Amino acid sequence: MKQRKSKQVRLLSGMLIGIVMIAVLARIVYLNHCYPSPKVITYTENDTIKLGNYEIKQTGWEQGR
């Protein structure tokens, strides 16, 4: 009788963990759908960048630390 309860507890625990994992995965997929990754746009030196009514000319770059 004790083994039977142990198997039932393990089965119930496994099902509960599976349900929680599916819920977490569904939440991750939902959030990625609502907030997709931003589009990456690259420019080279001396390119003119147009942002709305503004035009910006890239003349150089510097890496900061």
Side-chain angles (χ1 to χ4, degrees):
M1 176 120 167
K2 211 171 199 184
Q3 280 184 335
R4 187 171 180 193
K5 276 194 173 188
S6 176
K7 283 184 179 182
Q8 287 176 342
V9 168
R10 264 192 272 149
L11 179 65
L12 188 61
S13 298
M15 288 174 57
L16 186 61
I17 290 171
I19 290 170
V20 169
M21 289 178 68
I22 289 171
V24 168
L25 181 63
R27 182 67 177 172
I28 290 171
V29 169
Y30 170 75
L31 288 174
N32 282 337
H33 178 72
C34 289
Y35 304 103
S37 297
K39 192 177 187 184
V40 176
I41 302 171
T42 58
Y43 298 96
T44 58
E45 203 168 336
N46 295 322
D47 277 354
T48 301
I49 304 166
K50 193 163 177 76
L51 297 171
N53 294 332
Y54 298 99
E55 286 188 6
I56 302 168
K57 184 157 185 143
Q58 181 179 349
T59 58
W61 66 276
E62 183 178 317
Q63 183 175 355
R65 290 187 182 210

